[in-house]
PDB file of all heavy atoms in Angstrom:
ATOM      1  N   GLN C  22      54.000 169.232  78.492  1.00  0.00           N
ATOM      2  CA  GLN C  22      54.220 169.209  77.046  1.00  0.00           C
ATOM      3  C   GLN C  22      54.895 170.497  76.568  1.00  0.00           C
ATOM      4  O   GLN C  22      55.838 170.468  75.761  1.00  0.00           O
ATOM      5  CB  GLN C  22      52.887 169.003  76.324  1.00  0.00           C
ATOM      6  CG  GLN C  22      52.271 167.632  76.571  1.00  0.00           C
ATOM      7  CD  GLN C  22      50.831 167.532  76.080  1.00  0.00           C
ATOM      8  OE1 GLN C  22      50.094 168.526  76.080  1.00  0.00           O
ATOM      9  NE2 GLN C  22      50.421 166.326  75.676  1.00  0.00           N
ATOM     10  N   VAL C  23      54.405 171.641  77.079  1.00  0.00           N
ATOM     11  CA  VAL C  23      55.019 172.927  76.726  1.00  0.00           C
ATOM     12  C   VAL C  23      56.465 172.959  77.206  1.00  0.00           C
ATOM     13  O   VAL C  23      57.379 173.390  76.490  1.00  0.00           O
ATOM     14  CB  VAL C  23      54.206 174.094  77.327  1.00  0.00           C
ATOM     15  CG1 VAL C  23      54.965 175.414  77.173  1.00  0.00           C
ATOM     16  CG2 VAL C  23      52.839 174.184  76.675  1.00  0.00           C
ATOM     17  N   GLY C  24      56.680 172.489  78.440  1.00  0.00           N
ATOM     18  CA  GLY C  24      58.032 172.477  78.994  1.00  0.00           C
ATOM     19  C   GLY C  24      58.977 171.602  78.208  1.00  0.00           C
ATOM     20  O   GLY C  24      60.138 171.972  77.970  1.00  0.00           O
ATOM     21  N   ASP C  25      58.503 170.434  77.785  1.00  0.00           N
ATOM     22  CA  ASP C  25      59.354 169.553  76.977  1.00  0.00           C
ATOM     23  C   ASP C  25      59.747 170.234  75.675  1.00  0.00           C
ATOM     24  O   ASP C  25      60.899 170.134  75.222  1.00  0.00           O
ATOM     25  CB  ASP C  25      58.623 168.243  76.679  1.00  0.00           C
ATOM     26  CG  ASP C  25      58.502 167.343  77.903  1.00  0.00           C
ATOM     27  OD1 ASP C  25      59.231 167.589  78.892  1.00  0.00           O
ATOM     28  OD2 ASP C  25      57.675 166.413  77.875  1.00  0.00           O
ATOM     29  N   ALA C  26      58.805 170.920  75.056  1.00  0.00           N
ATOM     30  CA  ALA C  26      59.090 171.583  73.783  1.00  0.00           C
ATOM     31  C   ALA C  26      60.083 172.729  73.959  1.00  0.00           C
ATOM     32  O   ALA C  26      60.920 172.979  73.082  1.00  0.00           O
ATOM     33  CB  ALA C  26      57.788 172.089  73.164  1.00  0.00           C
ATOM     34  N   LEU C  27      59.987 173.431  75.104  1.00  0.00           N
ATOM     35  CA  LEU C  27      60.867 174.581  75.347  1.00  0.00           C
ATOM     36  C   LEU C  27      62.106 174.208  76.143  1.00  0.00           C
ATOM     37  O   LEU C  27      62.961 175.067  76.394  1.00  0.00           O
ATOM     38  CB  LEU C  27      60.088 175.670  76.107  1.00  0.00           C
ATOM     39  CG  LEU C  27      58.941 176.339  75.352  1.00  0.00           C
ATOM     40  CD1 LEU C  27      58.160 177.259  76.287  1.00  0.00           C
ATOM     41  CD2 LEU C  27      59.471 177.117  74.151  1.00  0.00           C
ATOM     42  N   LYS C  28      62.190 172.927  76.565  1.00  0.00           N
ATOM     43  CA  LYS C  28      63.292 172.458  77.411  1.00  0.00           C
ATOM     44  C   LYS C  28      63.358 173.250  78.710  1.00  0.00           C
ATOM     45  O   LYS C  28      64.421 173.696  79.154  1.00  0.00           O
ATOM     46  CB  LYS C  28      64.621 172.518  76.660  1.00  0.00           C
ATOM     47  CG  LYS C  28      64.675 171.584  75.448  1.00  0.00           C
ATOM     48  CD  LYS C  28      66.017 171.666  74.738  1.00  0.00           C
ATOM     49  CE  LYS C  28      66.106 170.612  73.648  1.00  0.00           C
ATOM     50  NZ  LYS C  28      65.005 170.657  72.665  1.00  0.00           N
ATOM     51  N   ILE C  29      62.178 173.433  79.318  1.00  0.00           N
ATOM     52  CA  ILE C  29      62.035 174.157  80.586  1.00  0.00           C
ATOM     53  C   ILE C  29      61.167 173.317  81.512  1.00  0.00           C
ATOM     54  O   ILE C  29      60.142 172.777  81.084  1.00  0.00           O
ATOM     55  CB  ILE C  29      61.385 175.540  80.372  1.00  0.00           C
ATOM     56  CG1 ILE C  29      62.284 176.438  79.525  1.00  0.00           C
ATOM     57  CG2 ILE C  29      61.094 176.211  81.716  1.00  0.00           C
ATOM     58  CD1 ILE C  29      61.626 177.756  79.158  1.00  0.00           C
ATOM     59  N   ALA C  30      61.572 173.203  82.770  1.00  0.00           N
ATOM     60  CA  ALA C  30      60.762 172.471  83.743  1.00  0.00           C
ATOM     61  C   ALA C  30      59.614 173.359  84.219  1.00  0.00           C
ATOM     62  O   ALA C  30      59.845 174.498  84.648  1.00  0.00           O
ATOM     63  CB  ALA C  30      61.614 172.045  84.943  1.00  0.00           C
ATOM     64  N   PRO C  31      58.363 172.889  84.137  1.00  0.00           N
ATOM     65  CA  PRO C  31      57.234 173.705  84.620  1.00  0.00           C
ATOM     66  C   PRO C  31      57.343 173.969  86.120  1.00  0.00           C
ATOM     67  O   PRO C  31      57.921 173.183  86.873  1.00  0.00           O
ATOM     68  CB  PRO C  31      56.013 172.830  84.306  1.00  0.00           C
ATOM     69  CG  PRO C  31      56.479 171.825  83.311  1.00  0.00           C
ATOM     70  CD  PRO C  31      57.927 171.596  83.586  1.00  0.00           C
ATOM     71  N   LYS C  32      56.761 175.079  86.546  1.00  0.00           N
ATOM     72  CA  LYS C  32      56.760 175.423  87.962  1.00  0.00           C
ATOM     73  C   LYS C  32      55.653 174.647  88.686  1.00  0.00           C
ATOM     74  O   LYS C  32      54.542 174.493  88.176  1.00  0.00           O
ATOM     75  CB  LYS C  32      56.538 176.928  88.144  1.00  0.00           C
ATOM     76  CG  LYS C  32      57.606 177.799  87.481  1.00  0.00           C
ATOM     77  CD  LYS C  32      58.981 177.574  88.103  1.00  0.00           C
ATOM     78  CE  LYS C  32      60.026 178.550  87.591  1.00  0.00           C
ATOM     79  NZ  LYS C  32      60.384 178.354  86.178  1.00  0.00           N
ATOM     80  N   SER C  33      55.976 174.209  89.890  1.00  0.00           N
ATOM     81  CA  SER C  33      54.978 173.528  90.711  1.00  0.00           C
ATOM     82  C   SER C  33      53.999 174.542  91.292  1.00  0.00           C
ATOM     83  O   SER C  33      54.271 175.756  91.322  1.00  0.00           O
ATOM     84  CB  SER C  33      55.665 172.777  91.856  1.00  0.00           C
ATOM     85  OG  SER C  33      56.288 173.695  92.741  1.00  0.00           O
ATOM     86  N   ILE C  34      52.866 174.046  91.752  1.00  0.00           N
ATOM     87  CA  ILE C  34      51.873 174.942  92.367  1.00  0.00           C
ATOM     88  C   ILE C  34      52.447 175.654  93.590  1.00  0.00           C
ATOM     89  O   ILE C  34      52.283 176.878  93.735  1.00  0.00           O
ATOM     90  CB  ILE C  34      50.583 174.165  92.698  1.00  0.00           C
ATOM     91  CG1 ILE C  34      49.882 173.760  91.393  1.00  0.00           C
ATOM     92  CG2 ILE C  34      49.649 175.000  93.565  1.00  0.00           C
ATOM     93  CD1 ILE C  34      48.675 172.870  91.595  1.00  0.00           C
ATOM     94  N   PRO C  35      53.151 174.958  94.521  1.00  0.00           N
ATOM     95  CA  PRO C  35      53.753 175.693  95.639  1.00  0.00           C
ATOM     96  C   PRO C  35      54.742 176.761  95.187  1.00  0.00           C
ATOM     97  O   PRO C  35      54.806 177.846  95.781  1.00  0.00           O
ATOM     98  CB  PRO C  35      54.445 174.591  96.445  1.00  0.00           C
ATOM     99  CG  PRO C  35      53.677 173.357  96.141  1.00  0.00           C
ATOM    100  CD  PRO C  35      53.295 173.504  94.694  1.00  0.00           C
ATOM    101  N   HIS C  36      55.526 176.471  94.145  1.00  0.00           N
ATOM    102  CA  HIS C  36      56.488 177.448  93.623  1.00  0.00           C
ATOM    103  C   HIS C  36      55.760 178.715  93.171  1.00  0.00           C
ATOM    104  O   HIS C  36      56.151 179.844  93.521  1.00  0.00           O
ATOM    105  CB  HIS C  36      57.240 176.815  92.457  1.00  0.00           C
ATOM    106  CG  HIS C  36      58.486 177.534  92.056  1.00  0.00           C
ATOM    107  ND1 HIS C  36      59.537 176.913  91.438  1.00  0.00           N
ATOM    108  CD2 HIS C  36      58.852 178.839  92.163  1.00  0.00           C
ATOM    109  CE1 HIS C  36      60.495 177.788  91.191  1.00  0.00           C
ATOM    110  NE2 HIS C  36      60.101 178.970  91.615  1.00  0.00           N
ATOM    111  N   VAL C  37      54.685 178.528  92.408  1.00  0.00           N
ATOM    112  CA  VAL C  37      53.904 179.668  91.919  1.00  0.00           C
ATOM    113  C   VAL C  37      53.252 180.404  93.079  1.00  0.00           C
ATOM    114  O   VAL C  37      53.237 181.646  93.128  1.00  0.00           O
ATOM    115  CB  VAL C  37      52.848 179.173  90.909  1.00  0.00           C
ATOM    116  CG1 VAL C  37      51.851 180.278  90.578  1.00  0.00           C
ATOM    117  CG2 VAL C  37      53.521 178.677  89.646  1.00  0.00           C
ATOM    118  N   ARG C  38      52.716 179.671  94.028  1.00  0.00           N
ATOM    119  CA  ARG C  38      52.056 180.311  95.164  1.00  0.00           C
ATOM    120  C   ARG C  38      53.050 181.139  95.972  1.00  0.00           C
ATOM    121  O   ARG C  38      52.707 182.212  96.493  1.00  0.00           O
ATOM    122  CB  ARG C  38      51.388 179.246  96.030  1.00  0.00           C
ATOM    123  CG  ARG C  38      50.358 179.798  96.988  1.00  0.00           C
ATOM    124  CD  ARG C  38      49.307 178.790  97.352  1.00  0.00           C
ATOM    125  NE  ARG C  38      49.878 177.488  97.673  1.00  0.00           N
ATOM    126  CZ  ARG C  38      49.262 176.332  97.437  1.00  0.00           C
ATOM    127  NH1 ARG C  38      48.073 176.308  96.873  1.00  0.00           N
ATOM    128  NH2 ARG C  38      49.834 175.187  97.753  1.00  0.00           N
ATOM    129  N   ASN C  39      54.285 180.687  96.084  1.00  0.00           N
ATOM    130  CA  ASN C  39      55.301 181.469  96.794  1.00  0.00           C
ATOM    131  C   ASN C  39      55.560 182.796  96.091  1.00  0.00           C
ATOM    132  O   ASN C  39      55.701 183.839  96.738  1.00  0.00           O
ATOM    133  CB  ASN C  39      56.598 180.663  96.912  1.00  0.00           C
ATOM    134  CG  ASN C  39      56.478 179.492  97.864  1.00  0.00           C
ATOM    135  OD1 ASN C  39      55.684 179.533  98.808  1.00  0.00           O
ATOM    136  ND2 ASN C  39      57.259 178.449  97.633  1.00  0.00           N
ATOM    137  N   HIS C  40      55.628 182.759  94.752  1.00  0.00           N
ATOM    138  CA  HIS C  40      55.801 184.016  94.010  1.00  0.00           C
ATOM    139  C   HIS C  40      54.591 184.935  94.205  1.00  0.00           C
ATOM    140  O   HIS C  40      54.741 186.156  94.381  1.00  0.00           O
ATOM    141  CB  HIS C  40      55.977 183.730  92.520  1.00  0.00           C
ATOM    142  CG  HIS C  40      57.352 183.245  92.148  1.00  0.00           C
ATOM    143  ND1 HIS C  40      58.496 183.726  92.740  1.00  0.00           N
ATOM    144  CD2 HIS C  40      57.759 182.327  91.224  1.00  0.00           C
ATOM    145  CE1 HIS C  40      59.548 183.140  92.204  1.00  0.00           C
ATOM    146  NE2 HIS C  40      59.134 182.275  91.279  1.00  0.00           N
ATOM    147  N   LEU C  41      53.395 184.374  94.143  1.00  0.00           N
ATOM    148  CA  LEU C  41      52.187 185.185  94.302  1.00  0.00           C
ATOM    149  C   LEU C  41      52.110 185.782  95.701  1.00  0.00           C
ATOM    150  O   LEU C  41      51.667 186.926  95.882  1.00  0.00           O
ATOM    151  CB  LEU C  41      50.949 184.331  94.027  1.00  0.00           C
ATOM    152  CG  LEU C  41      50.751 183.867  92.579  1.00  0.00           C
ATOM    153  CD1 LEU C  41      49.559 182.929  92.478  1.00  0.00           C
ATOM    154  CD2 LEU C  41      50.567 185.064  91.646  1.00  0.00           C
ATOM    155  N   ARG C  42      52.530 185.023  96.684  1.00  0.00           N
ATOM    156  CA  ARG C  42      52.497 185.519  98.066  1.00  0.00           C
ATOM    157  C   ARG C  42      53.388 186.750  98.207  1.00  0.00           C
ATOM    158  O   ARG C  42      53.020 187.736  98.856  1.00  0.00           O
ATOM    159  CB  ARG C  42      52.948 184.396  99.010  1.00  0.00           C
ATOM    160  CG  ARG C  42      52.851 184.737 100.485  1.00  0.00           C
ATOM    161  CD  ARG C  42      53.261 183.546 101.340  1.00  0.00           C
ATOM    162  NE  ARG C  42      52.291 182.458 101.253  1.00  0.00           N
ATOM    163  CZ  ARG C  42      52.518 181.302 100.640  1.00  0.00           C
ATOM    164  NH1 ARG C  42      53.687 181.083 100.050  1.00  0.00           N
ATOM    165  NH2 ARG C  42      51.593 180.360 100.598  1.00  0.00           N
ATOM    166  N   ARG C  43      54.569 186.689  97.615  1.00  0.00           N
ATOM    167  CA  ARG C  43      55.448 187.857  97.651  1.00  0.00           C
ATOM    168  C   ARG C  43      54.837 189.022  96.873  1.00  0.00           C
ATOM    169  O   ARG C  43      54.886 190.177  97.322  1.00  0.00           O
ATOM    170  CB  ARG C  43      56.824 187.487  97.091  1.00  0.00           C
ATOM    171  CG  ARG C  43      57.697 186.706  98.058  1.00  0.00           C
ATOM    172  CD  ARG C  43      59.097 186.474  97.499  1.00  0.00           C
ATOM    173  NE  ARG C  43      59.075 185.452  96.465  1.00  0.00           N
ATOM    174  CZ  ARG C  43      59.267 184.151  96.683  1.00  0.00           C
ATOM    175  NH1 ARG C  43      59.487 183.715  97.916  1.00  0.00           N
ATOM    176  NH2 ARG C  43      59.250 183.284  95.679  1.00  0.00           N
ATOM    177  N   ALA C  44      54.278 188.730  95.700  1.00  0.00           N
ATOM    178  CA  ALA C  44      53.681 189.804  94.897  1.00  0.00           C
ATOM    179  C   ALA C  44      52.546 190.486  95.650  1.00  0.00           C
ATOM    180  O   ALA C  44      52.379 191.713  95.575  1.00  0.00           O
ATOM    181  CB  ALA C  44      53.186 189.241  93.571  1.00  0.00           C
ATOM    182  N   LYS C  45      51.754 189.705  96.359  1.00  0.00           N
ATOM    183  CA  LYS C  45      50.673 190.288  97.169  1.00  0.00           C
ATOM    184  C   LYS C  45      51.219 191.266  98.207  1.00  0.00           C
ATOM    185  O   LYS C  45      50.562 192.244  98.571  1.00  0.00           O
ATOM    186  CB  LYS C  45      49.899 189.179  97.877  1.00  0.00           C
ATOM    187  CG  LYS C  45      48.893 188.447  97.013  1.00  0.00           C
ATOM    188  CD  LYS C  45      47.547 189.171  97.022  1.00  0.00           C
ATOM    189  CE  LYS C  45      46.468 188.365  96.372  1.00  0.00           C
ATOM    190  NZ  LYS C  45      45.167 189.076  96.354  1.00  0.00           N
ATOM    191  N   SER C  46      52.428 190.984  98.696  1.00  0.00           N
ATOM    192  CA  SER C  46      53.050 191.860  99.689  1.00  0.00           C
ATOM    193  C   SER C  46      53.918 192.934  99.060  1.00  0.00           C
ATOM    194  O   SER C  46      54.574 193.703  99.769  1.00  0.00           O
ATOM    195  CB  SER C  46      53.895 191.021 100.665  1.00  0.00           C
ATOM    196  OG  SER C  46      53.070 190.176 101.435  1.00  0.00           O
ATOM    197  N   GLY C  47      53.972 192.965  97.713  1.00  0.00           N
ATOM    198  CA  GLY C  47      54.644 194.061  97.029  1.00  0.00           C
ATOM    199  C   GLY C  47      56.108 193.853  96.744  1.00  0.00           C
ATOM    200  O   GLY C  47      56.848 194.826  96.589  1.00  0.00           O
ATOM    201  N   PHE C  48      56.562 192.588  96.619  1.00  0.00           N
ATOM    202  CA  PHE C  48      57.971 192.407  96.279  1.00  0.00           C
ATOM    203  C   PHE C  48      58.174 191.110  95.507  1.00  0.00           C
ATOM    204  O   PHE C  48      57.239 190.334  95.291  1.00  0.00           O
ATOM    205  CB  PHE C  48      58.851 192.469  97.529  1.00  0.00           C
ATOM    206  CG  PHE C  48      58.718 191.320  98.503  1.00  0.00           C
ATOM    207  CD1 PHE C  48      59.664 190.307  98.559  1.00  0.00           C
ATOM    208  CD2 PHE C  48      57.669 191.276  99.420  1.00  0.00           C
ATOM    209  CE1 PHE C  48      59.560 189.264  99.466  1.00  0.00           C
ATOM    210  CE2 PHE C  48      57.560 190.241 100.342  1.00  0.00           C
ATOM    211  CZ  PHE C  48      58.514 189.226 100.355  1.00  0.00           C
ATOM    212  N   LYS C  49      59.402 190.901  95.074  1.00  0.00           N
ATOM    213  CA  LYS C  49      59.747 189.730  94.266  1.00  0.00           C
ATOM    214  C   LYS C  49      61.134 189.249  94.667  1.00  0.00           C
ATOM    215  O   LYS C  49      61.870 189.926  95.394  1.00  0.00           O
ATOM    216  CB  LYS C  49      59.728 190.080  92.782  1.00  0.00           C
ATOM    217  CG  LYS C  49      60.781 191.117  92.382  1.00  0.00           C
ATOM    218  CD  LYS C  49      60.710 191.461  90.902  1.00  0.00           C
ATOM    219  CE  LYS C  49      61.745 192.514  90.521  1.00  0.00           C
ATOM    220  NZ  LYS C  49      61.695 192.862  89.095  1.00  0.00           N
ATOM    221  N   VAL C  50      61.514 188.056  94.167  1.00  0.00           N
ATOM    222  CA  VAL C  50      62.831 187.504  94.461  1.00  0.00           C
ATOM    223  C   VAL C  50      63.584 187.234  93.170  1.00  0.00           C
ATOM    224  O   VAL C  50      63.008 186.815  92.165  1.00  0.00           O
ATOM    225  CB  VAL C  50      62.724 186.208  95.298  1.00  0.00           C
ATOM    226  CG1 VAL C  50      61.991 185.102  94.538  1.00  0.00           C
ATOM    227  CG2 VAL C  50      64.104 185.728  95.735  1.00  0.00           C
ATOM    228  N   LEU C  51      64.871 187.506  93.199  1.00  0.00           N
ATOM    229  CA  LEU C  51      65.803 187.131  92.144  1.00  0.00           C
ATOM    230  C   LEU C  51      66.703 186.061  92.746  1.00  0.00           C
ATOM    231  O   LEU C  51      67.442 186.337  93.707  1.00  0.00           O
ATOM    232  CB  LEU C  51      66.651 188.317  91.677  1.00  0.00           C
ATOM    233  CG  LEU C  51      66.002 189.428  90.849  1.00  0.00           C
ATOM    234  CD1 LEU C  51      64.841 190.105  91.561  1.00  0.00           C
ATOM    235  CD2 LEU C  51      67.045 190.463  90.459  1.00  0.00           C
ATOM    236  N   ARG C  52      66.634 184.851  92.234  1.00  0.00           N
ATOM    237  CA  ARG C  52      67.307 183.719  92.856  1.00  0.00           C
ATOM    238  C   ARG C  52      68.734 183.514  92.331  1.00  0.00           C
ATOM    239  O   ARG C  52      69.005 183.636  91.135  1.00  0.00           O
ATOM    240  CB  ARG C  52      66.530 182.430  92.590  1.00  0.00           C
ATOM    241  CG  ARG C  52      65.180 182.332  93.273  1.00  0.00           C
ATOM    242  CD  ARG C  52      65.325 182.041  94.738  1.00  0.00           C
ATOM    243  NE  ARG C  52      64.042 181.682  95.351  1.00  0.00           N
ATOM    244  CZ  ARG C  52      63.768 181.822  96.631  1.00  0.00           C
ATOM    245  NH1 ARG C  52      64.685 182.295  97.449  1.00  0.00           N
ATOM    246  NH2 ARG C  52      62.591 181.476  97.105  1.00  0.00           N
ATOM    247  N   ASP C  53      69.613 183.190  93.266  1.00  0.00           N
ATOM    248  CA  ASP C  53      70.952 182.681  92.962  1.00  0.00           C
ATOM    249  C   ASP C  53      71.725 183.540  91.976  1.00  0.00           C
ATOM    250  O   ASP C  53      72.299 183.045  91.001  1.00  0.00           O
ATOM    251  CB  ASP C  53      70.863 181.237  92.454  1.00  0.00           C
ATOM    252  CG  ASP C  53      70.408 180.271  93.545  1.00  0.00           C
ATOM    253  OD1 ASP C  53      70.902 180.393  94.677  1.00  0.00           O
ATOM    254  OD2 ASP C  53      69.547 179.412  93.262  1.00  0.00           O
ATOM    255  N   LEU C  54      71.744 184.848  92.224  1.00  0.00           N
ATOM    256  CA  LEU C  54      72.596 185.722  91.428  1.00  0.00           C
ATOM    257  C   LEU C  54      74.055 185.466  91.777  1.00  0.00           C
ATOM    258  O   LEU C  54      74.409 185.283  92.939  1.00  0.00           O
ATOM    259  CB  LEU C  54      72.252 187.188  91.691  1.00  0.00           C
ATOM    260  CG  LEU C  54      70.838 187.650  91.347  1.00  0.00           C
ATOM    261  CD1 LEU C  54      70.749 189.167  91.464  1.00  0.00           C
ATOM    262  CD2 LEU C  54      70.417 187.199  89.961  1.00  0.00           C
ATOM    263  N   ARG C  55      74.899 185.469  90.771  1.00  0.00           N
ATOM    264  CA  ARG C  55      76.333 185.286  91.012  1.00  0.00           C
ATOM    265  C   ARG C  55      76.947 186.622  91.413  1.00  0.00           C
ATOM    266  O   ARG C  55      77.001 187.559  90.604  1.00  0.00           O
ATOM    267  CB  ARG C  55      77.020 184.737  89.766  1.00  0.00           C
ATOM    268  CG  ARG C  55      76.669 183.295  89.465  1.00  0.00           C
ATOM    269  CD  ARG C  55      77.616 182.725  88.423  1.00  0.00           C
ATOM    270  NE  ARG C  55      77.398 181.298  88.227  1.00  0.00           N
ATOM    271  CZ  ARG C  55      78.267 180.491  87.624  1.00  0.00           C
ATOM    272  NH1 ARG C  55      79.399 180.983  87.140  1.00  0.00           N
ATOM    273  NH2 ARG C  55      78.000 179.210  87.488  1.00  0.00           N
ATOM    274  N   ILE C  56      77.432 186.686  92.622  1.00  0.00           N
ATOM    275  CA  ILE C  56      78.068 187.901  93.129  1.00  0.00           C
ATOM    276  C   ILE C  56      79.575 187.694  93.045  1.00  0.00           C
ATOM    277  O   ILE C  56      80.130 186.815  93.721  1.00  0.00           O
ATOM    278  CB  ILE C  56      77.624 188.174  94.572  1.00  0.00           C
ATOM    279  CG1 ILE C  56      76.097 188.343  94.625  1.00  0.00           C
ATOM    280  CG2 ILE C  56      78.338 189.401  95.134  1.00  0.00           C
ATOM    281  CD1 ILE C  56      75.540 188.460  96.034  1.00  0.00           C
ATOM    282  N   PRO C  57      80.267 188.452  92.199  1.00  0.00           N
ATOM    283  CA  PRO C  57      81.711 188.229  92.006  1.00  0.00           C
ATOM    284  C   PRO C  57      82.512 188.610  93.249  1.00  0.00           C
ATOM    285  O   PRO C  57      82.173 189.561  93.962  1.00  0.00           O
ATOM    286  CB  PRO C  57      82.049 189.140  90.826  1.00  0.00           C
ATOM    287  CG  PRO C  57      80.993 190.206  90.851  1.00  0.00           C
ATOM    288  CD  PRO C  57      79.752 189.560  91.379  1.00  0.00           C
ATOM    289  N   VAL C  58      83.566 187.864  93.524  1.00  0.00           N
ATOM    290  CA  VAL C  58      84.460 188.151  94.639  1.00  0.00           C
ATOM    291  C   VAL C  58      85.888 188.278  94.123  1.00  0.00           C
ATOM    292  O   VAL C  58      86.187 187.940  92.973  1.00  0.00           O
ATOM    293  CB  VAL C  58      84.358 187.071  95.738  1.00  0.00           C
ATOM    294  CG1 VAL C  58      82.959 187.083  96.347  1.00  0.00           C
ATOM    295  CG2 VAL C  58      84.675 185.681  95.193  1.00  0.00           C
ATOM    296  N   ARG C  59      86.753 188.753  94.955  1.00  0.00           N
ATOM    297  CA  ARG C  59      88.061 189.260  94.527  1.00  0.00           C
ATOM    298  C   ARG C  59      88.985 188.223  93.885  1.00  0.00           C
ATOM    299  O   ARG C  59      89.872 188.584  93.115  1.00  0.00           O
ATOM    300  CB  ARG C  59      88.771 189.903  95.718  1.00  0.00           C
ATOM    301  CG  ARG C  59      89.128 188.944  96.843  1.00  0.00           C
ATOM    302  CD  ARG C  59      89.568 189.680  98.082  1.00  0.00           C
ATOM    303  NE  ARG C  59      88.463 190.435  98.660  1.00  0.00           N
ATOM    304  CZ  ARG C  59      88.569 191.191  99.750  1.00  0.00           C
ATOM    305  NH1 ARG C  59      89.721 191.276 100.386  1.00  0.00           N
ATOM    306  NH2 ARG C  59      87.528 191.848 100.219  1.00  0.00           N
ATOM    307  N   ASP C  60      88.821 186.939  94.200  1.00  0.00           N
ATOM    308  CA  ASP C  60      89.725 185.946  93.626  1.00  0.00           C
ATOM    309  C   ASP C  60      89.203 185.368  92.317  1.00  0.00           C
ATOM    310  O   ASP C  60      89.725 184.362  91.825  1.00  0.00           O
ATOM    311  CB  ASP C  60      90.011 184.828  94.627  1.00  0.00           C
ATOM    312  CG  ASP C  60      88.777 183.995  94.960  1.00  0.00           C
ATOM    313  OD1 ASP C  60      87.690 184.307  94.441  1.00  0.00           O
ATOM    314  OD2 ASP C  60      88.902 183.045  95.766  1.00  0.00           O
ATOM    315  N   GLY C  61      88.160 185.992  91.743  1.00  0.00           N
ATOM    316  CA  GLY C  61      87.612 185.530  90.482  1.00  0.00           C
ATOM    317  C   GLY C  61      86.493 184.531  90.616  1.00  0.00           C
ATOM    318  O   GLY C  61      85.894 184.128  89.613  1.00  0.00           O
ATOM    319  N   SER C  62      86.194 184.127  91.835  1.00  0.00           N
ATOM    320  CA  SER C  62      85.102 183.191  92.060  1.00  0.00           C
ATOM    321  C   SER C  62      83.814 183.977  92.311  1.00  0.00           C
ATOM    322  O   SER C  62      83.705 185.150  91.941  1.00  0.00           O
ATOM    323  CB  SER C  62      85.427 182.276  93.242  1.00  0.00           C
ATOM    324  OG  SER C  62      84.455 181.258  93.373  1.00  0.00           O
TER     325      SER C  62
END
């Protein structure tokens, strides 16, 4: 319901657990950053 109101898909339990597992080990992930390359792509 919250996700529908905010137009955001809620995170699944495995998704959250993966983030917590990394946090327990002292790090985090930034997903799918766009890294620019020389031809503009």
Side-chain angles (χ1 to χ4, degrees):
Q22 293 169 329
V23 170
D25 288 344
L27 294 173
K28 296 181 173 55
I29 296 174
K32 300 296 187 292
S33 65
I34 291 174
H36 195 154
V37 169
R38 197 154 45 212
N39 290 332
H40 282 323
L41 292 175
R42 185 178 291 110
R43 283 185 285 269
K45 281 273 190 181
S46 294
F48 69 102
K49 64 181 179 180
V50 63
L51 288 59
R52 292 285 191 204
D53 292 317
L54 299 189
R55 289 193 173 196
I56 300 173
V58 296
R59 65 191 67 181
D60 66 358
S62 187

